[in-house]
Amino acid sequence: MRSLHAVLISLLLCLGACSSLPNRDPLKINVVGVDPLQGEGMEVRFAVRIRVQNPNDYTLTYSGVALDLDINGQPFASGVTDVQGTIGRFSDTIVTVPVSVSAFSVIRQTYGISQMKTLNNMPYVLRGKLSGGVFNTMRFVDSGTLNLPGPTTGSR
């Protein structure tokens, strides 16, 4: 009985400690650029540049970034980097993450695009995380639409 009380008291203390963690607003992420990189074999590689905004009242330290990019509701690219850095309180920074696109993803997207009449307003979802240790990892999601140039018609 005594050990049961000790376990219950320990659980209550742990819950109290969790409630004292600071409130964290979610990070704000925007894709600011995509640059081509050298690929291997049948893969295509890009450097995705994201702006990470820290809307919190503390400095965020990270030691790695992971990204997954879906286009038209289909997985398209993923990447990781072990870059380390900090984002000051109420500050932002640009982080570059190399991502790989498999040949199968390119084929699937090409087929999906060929079924569309326009390349405007293609939906994307970018999911990722900034690794900051056990309790400081911050996950994020950014979504929107891509407007890609389509074929021009030569009506005169």
Side-chain angles (χ1 to χ4, degrees):
M1 189 67 161
R2 197 169 247 187
S3 62
L4 179 62
H5 281 109
V7 169
L8 288 175
I9 290 172
S10 296
L11 285 174
L12 288 174
L13 289 174
C14 287
L15 288 174
C18 289
S19 67
S20 67
L21 289 175
N23 291 333
R24 293 195 275 188
D25 289 325
L27 298 176
K28 295 183 181 176
I29 308 295
N30 292 307
V31 177
V32 295
V34 178
D35 302 314
L37 294 174
Q38 180 74 30
E40 288 288 325
M42 293 177 52
E43 79 173 349
V44 178
R45 291 185 47 88
F46 297 99
V48 175
R49 289 181 289 126
I50 58 174
R51 178 173 304 281
V52 182
Q53 295 178 340
N54 178 11
N56 295 291
D57 193 20
Y58 59 88
T59 297
L60 175 67
T61 300
Y62 61 93
S63 60
V65 183
L67 294 179
D68 289 308
L69 177 63
D70 296 350
I71 296 179
N72 273 340
Q74 297 291 322
F76 183 68
S78 64
V80 294
T81 182
D82 64 351
V83 67
Q84 298 179 4
T86 59
I87 307 169
R89 56 186 291 278
F90 300 107
S91 187
D92 65 19
T93 191
I94 301 285
V95 178
T96 301
V97 180
V99 298
S100 299
V101 181
S102 74
F104 299 112
S105 291
V106 172
I107 291 168
R108 182 176 52 239
Q109 290 297 332
T110 302
Y111 176 74
I113 290 171
S114 70
Q115 303 300 310
M116 300 172 68
K117 295 190 178 8
T118 179
L119 297 179
N120 289 329
N121 298 320
M122 290 177 45
Y124 77 88
V125 176
L126 179 71
R127 292 179 184 84
K129 69 177 180 177
L130 266 71
S131 179
V134 176
F135 295 109
N136 290 324
T137 294
M138 302 279 288
R139 297 187 181 276
F140 58 85
V141 175
D142 179 43
S143 62
T145 56
L146 298 173
N147 291 314
L148 302 175
T152 57
T153 57
S155 59
R156 293 182 189 223

